[in-house]
Amino acid sequence: MKEIKCSVIQDLLPLYIDGVVSDDTKSLVKEHLLTCEICRNEYEQMKETLYVPIENKATLFSKLNKRWNRKKWVLILGSVLTTILLGFAVFSFIFYYAKPIPYTTDLFQMEETADGMLVLNYFGESHAGTYMTHPIEVEIDGEQKKISLVYYDETIAHSPTSNFLLEDKRIGSEPLQLVNSDTVDAIYYGYFDLDKVTKEKAQTWEELLESMTLIWERE
Ligand SMILES: [Zn+2]
């Protein structure tokens, strides 16, 4: 067989390295490389730059990918956790410190003024908010009654940050005008969530009132 020109062999080298040549071409190139040093050097050089085994490529890529993914997940998890923790901290901060003030006769006293107004006097140091309802007509044990509900809550009243959270914080022992005694049959003190009773029906009026304290009743 006539000897093939080096330039032809070198043209074929990339294909040879990639292994996409026919068996005949393969043995031709192989044979030539055994005898020609120039082409052999060319081949060795080209092989190093071209030859990245498919498997290694994949492994390298997936390794990088995995590492990046892990990094990304750590970042995502980190920020999610931070958000949850922050939310929880704020949530518990507010809910731990904003809680209904339990009824005691030392702290609260009902009073009826001369013109029939019912007034609740609070003797505590401070409170955050007051919650009360207008007279509500409810059926309790088969009887129609007009009742009014009220409670105070407190927060971190003595902390400097409390002004920040609650602008309506007041110093206590301020009389709270409830309703005129003509308009109600009874007044209850204690935490209430009217949605639970009226909308969600998760609680009956009887259950709610049982958890509260009767502080005034028409005689
Ligand atoms: Zn050659």
Side-chain angles (χ1 to χ4, degrees):
M1 194 183 281
K2 196 188 170 190
E3 190 148 341
I4 306 161
K5 277 186 183 170
C6 284
S7 61
V8 175
I9 292 296
Q10 283 170 23
D11 281 348
L12 284 170
L13 277 178
L15 300 173
Y16 175 77
I17 288 166
D18 277 348
V20 291
V21 290
S22 69
D23 286 347
D24 289 341
T25 312
K26 206 189 219 170
S27 42
L28 275 179
V29 175
K30 223 180 218 172
E31 232 169 85
H32 181 91
L33 289 178
L34 284 174
T35 54
C36 170
E37 208 188 328
I38 298 164
C39 284
R40 198 160 56 238
N41 285 340
E42 189 70 20
Y43 166 70
E44 293 298 339
Q45 257 184 348
M46 207 181 273
K47 195 170 72 172
E48 269 172 40
T49 50
L50 281 185
Y51 187 68
V52 179
I54 302 285
E55 256 178 305
N56 277 2
K57 247 191 224 167
T59 318
L60 182 69
F61 183 72
S62 63
K63 258 185 202 160
L64 283 174
N65 208 30
K66 234 179 243 171
R67 194 171 305 155
W68 185 79
N69 271 334
R70 198 173 301 149
K71 212 172 173 185
K72 188 178 70 171
W73 274 110
V74 166
L75 278 177
I76 289 172
L77 271 179
S79 61
V80 166
L81 273 178
T82 308
T83 309
I84 289 173
L85 282 176
L86 261 179
F88 184 73
V90 168
F91 183 85
S92 50
F93 185 76
I94 289 168
F95 278 78
Y96 179 77
Y97 288 106
K99 54 191 178 185
I101 298 171
Y103 180 84
T104 66
T105 49
D106 285 345
L107 279 179
F108 297 98
Q109 262 174 37
M110 280 295 292
E111 179 195 342
E112 191 171 346
T113 63
D115 57 355
M117 186 58 78
L118 294 170
V119 174
L120 182 60
N121 291 294
Y122 173 62
F123 296 96
E125 270 183 29
S126 64
H127 65 274
T130 55
Y131 304 85
M132 59 180 286
T133 68
H134 293 292
I136 311 165
E137 199 155 341
V138 296
E139 196 186 302
I140 303 161
D141 300 326
E143 245 184 288
Q144 288 292 116
K145 275 190 172 178
K146 276 185 189 164
I147 60 165
S148 199
L149 314 176
V150 62
Y151 75 89
Y152 283 57
D153 72 5
E154 61 186 342
T155 58
I156 39 159
H158 302 295
S159 153
T161 54
S162 63
N163 290 324
F164 213 75
L165 287 174
L166 297 144
E167 286 170 17
D168 67 339
K169 187 192 68 154
R170 273 167 292 168
I171 299 303
S173 68
E174 197 178 299
L176 175 67
Q177 292 219 340
L178 298 176
V179 286
N180 194 286
S181 61
D182 290 343
T183 62
V184 283
D185 297 309
I187 292 178
Y188 290 83
Y189 182 96
Y191 174 76
F192 57 85
D193 179 353
L194 288 185
D195 278 356
K196 258 184 163 176
V197 181
T198 57
K199 281 188 200 158
E200 298 163 25
K201 308 272 183 203
Q203 200 177 30
T204 65
W205 281 108
E206 280 89 349
E207 281 167 346
L208 173 63
L209 295 181
E210 212 161 276
S211 71
M212 301 179 79
T213 309
L214 178 68
I215 56 170
W216 182 88
E217 195 172 23
R218 183 187 299 283
E219 281 170 21

mmCIF file of all heavy atoms in Angstrom, residues 17-62:
data_model
loop_
_atom_site.group_PDB
_atom_site.id
_atom_site.type_symbol
_atom_site.label_atom_id
_atom_site.label_comp_id
_atom_site.label_asym_id
_atom_site.label_seq_id
_atom_site.Cartn_x
_atom_site.Cartn_y
_atom_site.Cartn_z
ATOM 1 N N ILE A 17 -9.036 9.864 17.363
ATOM 2 C CA ILE A 17 -9.045 9.994 18.827
ATOM 3 C C ILE A 17 -10.457 9.836 19.378
ATOM 4 O O ILE A 17 -10.683 9.182 20.392
ATOM 5 C CB ILE A 17 -8.423 11.347 19.247
ATOM 6 C CG1 ILE A 17 -6.897 11.312 19.007
ATOM 7 C CG2 ILE A 17 -8.698 11.639 20.712
ATOM 8 C CD1 ILE A 17 -6.236 12.658 19.057
ATOM 9 N N ASP A 18 -11.401 10.429 18.655
ATOM 10 C CA ASP A 18 -12.800 10.302 19.105
ATOM 11 C C ASP A 18 -13.361 8.908 18.855
ATOM 12 O O ASP A 18 -14.438 8.578 19.311
ATOM 13 C CB ASP A 18 -13.682 11.331 18.381
ATOM 14 C CG ASP A 18 -13.609 12.695 19.070
ATOM 15 O OD1 ASP A 18 -13.074 12.747 20.196
ATOM 16 O OD2 ASP A 18 -14.074 13.686 18.477
ATOM 17 N N GLY A 19 -12.613 8.100 18.094
ATOM 18 C CA GLY A 19 -13.047 6.724 17.831
ATOM 19 C C GLY A 19 -14.214 6.611 16.880
ATOM 20 O O GLY A 19 -15.020 5.703 16.996
ATOM 21 N N VAL A 20 -14.307 7.580 15.971
ATOM 22 C CA VAL A 20 -15.442 7.542 15.052
ATOM 23 C C VAL A 20 -15.033 7.176 13.621
ATOM 24 O O VAL A 20 -15.759 7.448 12.683
ATOM 25 C CB VAL A 20 -16.223 8.883 15.049
ATOM 26 C CG1 VAL A 20 -16.936 9.075 16.380
ATOM 27 C CG2 VAL A 20 -15.294 10.051 14.749
ATOM 28 N N VAL A 21 -13.858 6.578 13.496
ATOM 29 C CA VAL A 21 -13.418 6.174 12.148
ATOM 30 C C VAL A 21 -13.696 4.692 11.915
ATOM 31 O O VAL A 21 -13.924 3.942 12.857
ATOM 32 C CB VAL A 21 -11.901 6.445 11.948
ATOM 33 C CG1 VAL A 21 -11.628 7.933 11.879
ATOM 34 C CG2 VAL A 21 -11.084 5.799 13.060
ATOM 35 N N SER A 22 -13.689 4.295 10.673
ATOM 36 C CA SER A 22 -13.909 2.883 10.341
ATOM 37 C C SER A 22 -12.693 2.070 10.791
ATOM 38 O O SER A 22 -11.628 2.634 11.054
ATOM 39 C CB SER A 22 -14.120 2.729 8.841
ATOM 40 O OG SER A 22 -12.902 3.014 8.177
ATOM 41 N N ASP A 23 -12.877 0.765 10.876
ATOM 42 C CA ASP A 23 -11.779 -0.102 11.307
ATOM 43 C C ASP A 23 -10.575 -0.008 10.361
ATOM 44 O O ASP A 23 -9.425 -0.043 10.806
ATOM 45 C CB ASP A 23 -12.251 -1.559 11.389
ATOM 46 C CG ASP A 23 -13.148 -1.781 12.597
ATOM 47 O OD1 ASP A 23 -13.190 -0.873 13.474
ATOM 48 O OD2 ASP A 23 -13.825 -2.825 12.663
ATOM 49 N N ASP A 24 -10.864 0.141 9.061
ATOM 50 C CA ASP A 24 -9.780 0.257 8.083
ATOM 51 C C ASP A 24 -8.950 1.511 8.318
ATOM 52 O O ASP A 24 -7.728 1.463 8.349
ATOM 53 C CB ASP A 24 -10.351 0.285 6.661
ATOM 54 C CG ASP A 24 -10.903 -1.083 6.258
ATOM 55 O OD1 ASP A 24 -10.514 -2.082 6.923
ATOM 56 O OD2 ASP A 24 -11.709 -1.139 5.319
ATOM 57 N N THR A 25 -9.638 2.626 8.512
ATOM 58 C CA THR A 25 -8.932 3.877 8.775
ATOM 59 C C THR A 25 -8.133 3.773 10.064
ATOM 60 O O THR A 25 -6.995 4.225 10.157
ATOM 61 C CB THR A 25 -9.939 5.037 8.889
ATOM 62 O OG1 THR A 25 -10.835 4.971 7.795
ATOM 63 C CG2 THR A 25 -9.238 6.379 8.896
ATOM 64 N N LYS A 26 -8.755 3.163 11.035
ATOM 65 C CA LYS A 26 -8.123 2.996 12.335
ATOM 66 C C LYS A 26 -6.768 2.287 12.198
ATOM 67 O O LYS A 26 -5.744 2.774 12.708
ATOM 68 C CB LYS A 26 -9.057 2.175 13.224
ATOM 69 C CG LYS A 26 -8.859 2.431 14.729
ATOM 70 C CD LYS A 26 -9.691 1.402 15.506
ATOM 71 C CE LYS A 26 -10.345 1.968 16.724
ATOM 72 N NZ LYS A 26 -11.321 1.014 17.284
ATOM 73 N N SER A 27 -6.784 1.146 11.486
ATOM 74 C CA SER A 27 -5.528 0.393 11.372
ATOM 75 C C SER A 27 -4.498 1.139 10.518
ATOM 76 O O SER A 27 -3.300 1.054 10.773
ATOM 77 C CB SER A 27 -5.768 -1.026 10.837
ATOM 78 O OG SER A 27 -6.707 -1.022 9.795
ATOM 79 N N LEU A 28 -4.980 1.903 9.525
ATOM 80 C CA LEU A 28 -4.074 2.737 8.729
ATOM 81 C C LEU A 28 -3.354 3.751 9.601
ATOM 82 O O LEU A 28 -2.144 3.889 9.565
ATOM 83 C CB LEU A 28 -4.854 3.485 7.640
ATOM 84 C CG LEU A 28 -5.112 2.765 6.319
ATOM 85 C CD1 LEU A 28 -5.909 3.661 5.381
ATOM 86 C CD2 LEU A 28 -3.783 2.373 5.662
ATOM 87 N N VAL A 29 -4.133 4.467 10.414
ATOM 88 C CA VAL A 29 -3.566 5.509 11.278
ATOM 89 C C VAL A 29 -2.622 4.878 12.282
ATOM 90 O O VAL A 29 -1.491 5.344 12.492
ATOM 91 C CB VAL A 29 -4.684 6.295 11.990
ATOM 92 C CG1 VAL A 29 -4.094 7.307 12.982
ATOM 93 C CG2 VAL A 29 -5.552 7.010 10.974
ATOM 94 N N LYS A 30 -3.068 3.775 12.865
ATOM 95 C CA LYS A 30 -2.258 3.066 13.850
ATOM 96 C C LYS A 30 -0.886 2.708 13.273
ATOM 97 O O LYS A 30 0.152 2.951 13.884
ATOM 98 C CB LYS A 30 -2.991 1.794 14.259
ATOM 99 C CG LYS A 30 -2.944 1.536 15.774
ATOM 100 C CD LYS A 30 -3.692 0.251 16.093
ATOM 101 C CE LYS A 30 -4.469 0.380 17.371
ATOM 102 N NZ LYS A 30 -5.346 -0.783 17.580
ATOM 103 N N GLU A 31 -0.949 2.118 12.096
ATOM 104 C CA GLU A 31 0.272 1.692 11.418
ATOM 105 C C GLU A 31 1.201 2.862 11.183
ATOM 106 O O GLU A 31 2.395 2.799 11.450
ATOM 107 C CB GLU A 31 -0.100 1.085 10.059
ATOM 108 C CG GLU A 31 0.500 -0.303 9.837
ATOM 109 C CD GLU A 31 -0.122 -0.958 8.618
ATOM 110 O OE1 GLU A 31 0.366 -0.696 7.500
ATOM 111 O OE2 GLU A 31 -1.122 -1.691 8.796
ATOM 112 N N HIS A 32 0.592 3.968 10.703
ATOM 113 C CA HIS A 32 1.390 5.156 10.408
ATOM 114 C C HIS A 32 2.028 5.719 11.666
ATOM 115 O O HIS A 32 3.194 6.112 11.659
ATOM 116 C CB HIS A 32 0.517 6.225 9.733
ATOM 117 C CG HIS A 32 1.286 7.459 9.377
ATOM 118 N ND1 HIS A 32 1.908 7.623 8.152
ATOM 119 C CD2 HIS A 32 1.568 8.588 10.084
ATOM 120 C CE1 HIS A 32 2.522 8.780 8.122
ATOM 121 N NE2 HIS A 32 2.323 9.399 9.301
ATOM 122 N N LEU A 33 1.296 5.735 12.747
ATOM 123 C CA LEU A 33 1.815 6.289 13.988
ATOM 124 C C LEU A 33 3.011 5.485 14.500
ATOM 125 O O LEU A 33 3.922 6.044 15.115
ATOM 126 C CB LEU A 33 0.716 6.331 15.072
ATOM 127 C CG LEU A 33 -0.388 7.369 14.869
ATOM 128 C CD1 LEU A 33 -1.429 7.252 15.977
ATOM 129 C CD2 LEU A 33 0.169 8.780 14.800
ATOM 130 N N LEU A 34 3.009 4.177 14.221
ATOM 131 C CA LEU A 34 4.115 3.328 14.657
ATOM 132 C C LEU A 34 5.425 3.707 13.969
ATOM 133 O O LEU A 34 6.501 3.606 14.548
ATOM 134 C CB LEU A 34 3.806 1.858 14.362
ATOM 135 C CG LEU A 34 2.802 1.177 15.307
ATOM 136 C CD1 LEU A 34 2.470 -0.227 14.811
ATOM 137 C CD2 LEU A 34 3.341 1.130 16.721
ATOM 138 N N THR A 35 5.262 4.196 12.726
ATOM 139 C CA THR A 35 6.468 4.460 11.946
ATOM 140 C C THR A 35 6.847 5.929 11.870
ATOM 141 O O THR A 35 7.989 6.256 11.601
ATOM 142 C CB THR A 35 6.291 3.949 10.508
ATOM 143 O OG1 THR A 35 5.111 4.521 9.963
ATOM 144 C CG2 THR A 35 6.191 2.417 10.485
ATOM 145 N N CYS A 36 5.869 6.834 12.119
ATOM 146 C CA CYS A 36 6.155 8.260 11.950
ATOM 147 C C CYS A 36 6.156 8.987 13.284
ATOM 148 O O CYS A 36 5.135 9.075 13.965
ATOM 149 C CB CYS A 36 5.126 8.880 11.006
ATOM 150 S SG CYS A 36 5.214 10.672 10.965
ATOM 151 N N GLU A 37 7.312 9.525 13.621
ATOM 152 C CA GLU A 37 7.448 10.171 14.922
ATOM 153 C C GLU A 37 6.712 11.500 14.985
ATOM 154 O O GLU A 37 6.138 11.862 16.008
ATOM 155 C CB GLU A 37 8.920 10.377 15.240
ATOM 156 C CG GLU A 37 9.145 10.389 16.743
ATOM 157 C CD GLU A 37 10.579 10.789 17.092
ATOM 158 O OE1 GLU A 37 11.483 10.457 16.290
ATOM 159 O OE2 GLU A 37 10.785 11.433 18.122
ATOM 160 N N ILE A 38 6.722 12.241 13.871
ATOM 161 C CA ILE A 38 6.069 13.547 13.819
ATOM 162 C C ILE A 38 4.578 13.410 14.107
ATOM 163 O O ILE A 38 4.003 14.119 14.937
ATOM 164 C CB ILE A 38 6.284 14.208 12.423
ATOM 165 C CG1 ILE A 38 7.800 14.436 12.202
ATOM 166 C CG2 ILE A 38 5.522 15.533 12.328
ATOM 167 C CD1 ILE A 38 8.172 14.705 10.761
ATOM 168 N N CYS A 39 3.971 12.444 13.408
ATOM 169 C CA CYS A 39 2.536 12.232 13.595
ATOM 170 C C CYS A 39 2.239 11.679 14.981
ATOM 171 O O CYS A 39 1.209 11.965 15.576
ATOM 172 C CB CYS A 39 1.998 11.294 12.525
ATOM 173 S SG CYS A 39 1.814 12.119 10.937
ATOM 174 N N ARG A 40 3.200 10.853 15.500
ATOM 175 C CA ARG A 40 2.992 10.293 16.843
ATOM 176 C C ARG A 40 2.966 11.420 17.881
ATOM 177 O O ARG A 40 2.139 11.455 18.776
ATOM 178 C CB ARG A 40 4.103 9.284 17.142
ATOM 179 C CG ARG A 40 3.717 8.362 18.285
ATOM 180 C CD ARG A 40 4.504 7.072 18.325
ATOM 181 N NE ARG A 40 5.952 7.312 18.380
ATOM 182 C CZ ARG A 40 6.820 6.835 17.451
ATOM 183 N NH1 ARG A 40 6.373 6.122 16.428
ATOM 184 N NH2 ARG A 40 8.107 7.076 17.561
ATOM 185 N N ASN A 41 3.926 12.362 17.733
ATOM 186 C CA ASN A 41 3.955 13.517 18.650
ATOM 187 C C ASN A 41 2.678 14.340 18.545
ATOM 188 O O ASN A 41 2.108 14.746 19.566
ATOM 189 C CB ASN A 41 5.163 14.412 18.342
ATOM 190 C CG ASN A 41 6.455 13.779 18.843
ATOM 191 O OD1 ASN A 41 6.416 12.902 19.723
ATOM 192 N ND2 ASN A 41 7.581 14.193 18.277
ATOM 193 N N GLU A 42 2.274 14.548 17.314
ATOM 194 C CA GLU A 42 1.041 15.291 17.051
ATOM 195 C C GLU A 42 -0.133 14.599 17.738
ATOM 196 O O GLU A 42 -0.974 15.210 18.388
ATOM 197 C CB GLU A 42 0.806 15.376 15.537
ATOM 198 C CG GLU A 42 -0.327 16.291 15.112
ATOM 199 C CD GLU A 42 -0.002 17.768 15.325
ATOM 200 O OE1 GLU A 42 1.209 18.131 15.434
ATOM 201 O OE2 GLU A 42 -0.975 18.544 15.369
ATOM 202 N N TYR A 43 -0.123 13.259 17.573
ATOM 203 C CA TYR A 43 -1.195 12.443 18.141
ATOM 204 C C TYR A 43 -1.215 12.561 19.665
ATOM 205 O O TYR A 43 -2.270 12.786 20.275
ATOM 206 C CB TYR A 43 -1.005 10.983 17.711
ATOM 207 C CG TYR A 43 -1.824 9.988 18.481
ATOM 208 C CD1 TYR A 43 -3.215 9.922 18.319
ATOM 209 C CD2 TYR A 43 -1.226 9.105 19.391
ATOM 210 C CE1 TYR A 43 -3.975 9.015 19.029
ATOM 211 C CE2 TYR A 43 -1.983 8.199 20.110
ATOM 212 C CZ TYR A 43 -3.359 8.157 19.927
ATOM 213 O OH TYR A 43 -4.094 7.267 20.620
ATOM 214 N N GLU A 44 -0.035 12.434 20.281
ATOM 215 C CA GLU A 44 0.037 12.496 21.752
ATOM 216 C C GLU A 44 -0.478 13.831 22.290
ATOM 217 O O GLU A 44 -1.222 13.882 23.272
ATOM 218 C CB GLU A 44 1.494 12.281 22.223
ATOM 219 C CG GLU A 44 2.061 10.873 21.968
ATOM 220 C CD GLU A 44 1.309 9.757 22.709
ATOM 221 O OE1 GLU A 44 0.627 10.067 23.716
ATOM 222 O OE2 GLU A 44 1.391 8.591 22.262
ATOM 223 N N GLN A 45 -0.072 14.894 21.612
ATOM 224 C CA GLN A 45 -0.482 16.241 22.025
ATOM 225 C C GLN A 45 -1.996 16.421 21.896
ATOM 226 O O GLN A 45 -2.665 16.907 22.799
ATOM 227 C CB GLN A 45 0.223 17.285 21.161
ATOM 228 C CG GLN A 45 1.365 17.939 21.899
ATOM 229 C CD GLN A 45 2.000 19.045 21.057
ATOM 230 O OE1 GLN A 45 1.723 19.158 19.843
ATOM 231 N NE2 GLN A 45 2.832 19.845 21.670
ATOM 232 N N MET A 46 -2.471 15.983 20.713
ATOM 233 C CA MET A 46 -3.888 16.149 20.412
ATOM 234 C C MET A 46 -4.740 15.330 21.368
ATOM 235 O O MET A 46 -5.814 15.746 21.796
ATOM 236 C CB MET A 46 -4.139 15.723 18.967
ATOM 237 C CG MET A 46 -5.324 16.419 18.336
ATOM 238 S SD MET A 46 -5.553 15.850 16.673
ATOM 239 C CE MET A 46 -4.470 16.940 15.780
ATOM 240 N N LYS A 47 -4.203 14.154 21.690
ATOM 241 C CA LYS A 47 -4.945 13.243 22.564
ATOM 242 C C LYS A 47 -5.188 13.897 23.931
ATOM 243 O O LYS A 47 -6.276 13.802 24.499
ATOM 244 C CB LYS A 47 -4.151 11.942 22.743
ATOM 245 C CG LYS A 47 -4.985 10.825 23.316
ATOM 246 C CD LYS A 47 -4.263 9.499 23.249
ATOM 247 C CE LYS A 47 -3.119 9.477 24.278
ATOM 248 N NZ LYS A 47 -2.529 8.110 24.370
ATOM 249 N N GLU A 48 -4.165 14.572 24.407
ATOM 250 C CA GLU A 48 -4.293 15.174 25.727
ATOM 251 C C GLU A 48 -5.345 16.275 25.763
ATOM 252 O O GLU A 48 -6.040 16.449 26.756
ATOM 253 C CB GLU A 48 -2.941 15.731 26.183
ATOM 254 C CG GLU A 48 -2.157 14.701 26.971
ATOM 255 C CD GLU A 48 -0.757 15.165 27.269
ATOM 256 O OE1 GLU A 48 -0.600 16.361 27.589
ATOM 257 O OE2 GLU A 48 0.172 14.331 27.165
ATOM 258 N N THR A 49 -5.393 17.029 24.684
ATOM 259 C CA THR A 49 -6.358 18.133 24.698
ATOM 260 C C THR A 49 -7.761 17.678 24.328
ATOM 261 O O THR A 49 -8.734 18.206 24.835
ATOM 262 C CB THR A 49 -5.928 19.264 23.742
ATOM 263 O OG1 THR A 49 -5.627 18.671 22.478
ATOM 264 C CG2 THR A 49 -4.713 19.990 24.255
ATOM 265 N N LEU A 50 -7.836 16.672 23.445
ATOM 266 C CA LEU A 50 -9.161 16.247 22.988
ATOM 267 C C LEU A 50 -9.799 15.193 23.863
ATOM 268 O O LEU A 50 -11.000 15.167 24.036
ATOM 269 C CB LEU A 50 -9.080 15.693 21.563
ATOM 270 C CG LEU A 50 -9.001 16.695 20.435
ATOM 271 C CD1 LEU A 50 -9.045 15.953 19.103
ATOM 272 C CD2 LEU A 50 -10.170 17.668 20.503
ATOM 273 N N TYR A 51 -8.923 14.346 24.385
ATOM 274 C CA TYR A 51 -9.463 13.167 25.014
ATOM 275 C C TYR A 51 -9.895 13.416 26.456
ATOM 276 O O TYR A 51 -9.107 13.411 27.386
ATOM 277 C CB TYR A 51 -8.442 12.032 24.956
ATOM 278 C CG TYR A 51 -9.014 10.733 25.451
ATOM 279 C CD1 TYR A 51 -10.004 10.071 24.759
ATOM 280 C CD2 TYR A 51 -8.545 10.189 26.654
ATOM 281 C CE1 TYR A 51 -10.535 8.893 25.230
ATOM 282 C CE2 TYR A 51 -9.082 9.004 27.138
ATOM 283 C CZ TYR A 51 -10.072 8.362 26.419
ATOM 284 O OH TYR A 51 -10.593 7.205 26.885
ATOM 285 N N VAL A 52 -11.158 13.652 26.609
ATOM 286 C CA VAL A 52 -11.734 13.663 27.950
ATOM 287 C C VAL A 52 -12.784 12.570 27.944
ATOM 288 O O VAL A 52 -13.781 12.683 27.241
ATOM 289 C CB VAL A 52 -12.386 15.028 28.297
ATOM 290 C CG1 VAL A 52 -12.986 14.990 29.690
ATOM 291 C CG2 VAL A 52 -11.365 16.134 28.186
ATOM 292 N N PRO A 53 -12.505 11.483 28.619
ATOM 293 C CA PRO A 53 -13.442 10.363 28.563
ATOM 294 C C PRO A 53 -14.859 10.805 28.956
ATOM 295 O O PRO A 53 -15.032 11.586 29.890
ATOM 296 C CB PRO A 53 -12.891 9.379 29.604
ATOM 297 C CG PRO A 53 -11.489 9.787 29.827
ATOM 298 C CD PRO A 53 -11.410 11.257 29.549
ATOM 299 N N ILE A 54 -15.816 10.307 28.233
ATOM 300 C CA ILE A 54 -17.215 10.658 28.465
ATOM 301 C C ILE A 54 -17.594 10.456 29.931
ATOM 302 O O ILE A 54 -18.202 11.304 30.560
ATOM 303 C CB ILE A 54 -18.142 9.784 27.581
ATOM 304 C CG1 ILE A 54 -17.794 9.967 26.114
ATOM 305 C CG2 ILE A 54 -19.613 10.095 27.839
ATOM 306 C CD1 ILE A 54 -18.236 11.247 25.499
ATOM 307 N N GLU A 55 -17.178 9.320 30.459
ATOM 308 C CA GLU A 55 -17.530 8.990 31.834
ATOM 309 C C GLU A 55 -17.026 10.040 32.824
ATOM 310 O O GLU A 55 -17.752 10.476 33.696
ATOM 311 C CB GLU A 55 -16.945 7.641 32.202
ATOM 312 C CG GLU A 55 -17.974 6.529 32.224
ATOM 313 C CD GLU A 55 -17.309 5.213 32.543
ATOM 314 O OE1 GLU A 55 -16.357 4.850 31.836
ATOM 315 O OE2 GLU A 55 -17.721 4.593 33.515
ATOM 316 N N ASN A 56 -15.744 10.377 32.617
ATOM 317 C CA ASN A 56 -15.160 11.370 33.516
ATOM 318 C C ASN A 56 -15.846 12.718 33.400
ATOM 319 O O ASN A 56 -16.051 13.407 34.381
ATOM 320 C CB ASN A 56 -13.675 11.533 33.220
ATOM 321 C CG ASN A 56 -12.870 10.461 33.914
ATOM 322 O OD1 ASN A 56 -13.453 9.595 34.576
ATOM 323 N ND2 ASN A 56 -11.569 10.488 33.756
ATOM 324 N N LYS A 57 -16.177 13.030 32.148
ATOM 325 C CA LYS A 57 -16.867 14.299 31.910
ATOM 326 C C LYS A 57 -18.133 14.346 32.749
ATOM 327 O O LYS A 57 -18.415 15.288 33.453
ATOM 328 C CB LYS A 57 -17.245 14.396 30.428
ATOM 329 C CG LYS A 57 -16.498 15.471 29.667
ATOM 330 C CD LYS A 57 -17.164 15.622 28.328
ATOM 331 C CE LYS A 57 -16.147 15.724 27.209
ATOM 332 N NZ LYS A 57 -16.757 15.561 25.903
ATOM 333 N N ALA A 58 -18.891 13.253 32.640
ATOM 334 C CA ALA A 58 -20.162 13.184 33.358
ATOM 335 C C ALA A 58 -19.934 13.266 34.849
ATOM 336 O O ALA A 58 -20.624 13.985 35.560
ATOM 337 C CB ALA A 58 -20.882 11.888 33.008
ATOM 338 N N THR A 59 -18.930 12.518 35.300
ATOM 339 C CA THR A 59 -18.679 12.497 36.735
ATOM 340 C C THR A 59 -18.279 13.874 37.231
ATOM 341 O O THR A 59 -18.780 14.350 38.245
ATOM 342 C CB THR A 59 -17.561 11.486 37.056
ATOM 343 O OG1 THR A 59 -17.786 10.337 36.276
ATOM 344 C CG2 THR A 59 -17.574 11.119 38.509
ATOM 345 N N LEU A 60 -17.392 14.464 36.441
ATOM 346 C CA LEU A 60 -16.924 15.783 36.834
ATOM 347 C C LEU A 60 -18.096 16.753 36.880
ATOM 348 O O LEU A 60 -18.263 17.516 37.829
ATOM 349 C CB LEU A 60 -15.880 16.267 35.812
ATOM 350 C CG LEU A 60 -15.243 17.615 36.110
ATOM 351 C CD1 LEU A 60 -14.339 17.498 37.330
ATOM 352 C CD2 LEU A 60 -14.440 18.092 34.902
ATOM 353 N N PHE A 61 -18.922 16.653 35.842
ATOM 354 C CA PHE A 61 -20.059 17.575 35.775
ATOM 355 C C PHE A 61 -21.021 17.353 36.928
ATOM 356 O O PHE A 61 -21.432 18.283 37.594
ATOM 357 C CB PHE A 61 -20.788 17.392 34.439
ATOM 358 C CG PHE A 61 -21.925 18.347 34.282
ATOM 359 C CD1 PHE A 61 -21.677 19.693 34.057
ATOM 360 C CD2 PHE A 61 -23.234 17.910 34.398
ATOM 361 C CE1 PHE A 61 -22.721 20.582 33.930
ATOM 362 C CE2 PHE A 61 -24.278 18.790 34.270
ATOM 363 C CZ PHE A 61 -24.024 20.131 34.041
ATOM 364 N N SER A 62 -21.332 16.064 37.169
ATOM 365 C CA SER A 62 -22.299 15.808 38.231
ATOM 366 C C SER A 62 -21.720 16.141 39.600
ATOM 367 O O SER A 62 -22.437 16.521 40.510
ATOM 368 C CB SER A 62 -22.796 14.367 38.182
ATOM 369 O OG SER A 62 -21.731 13.489 38.404
#
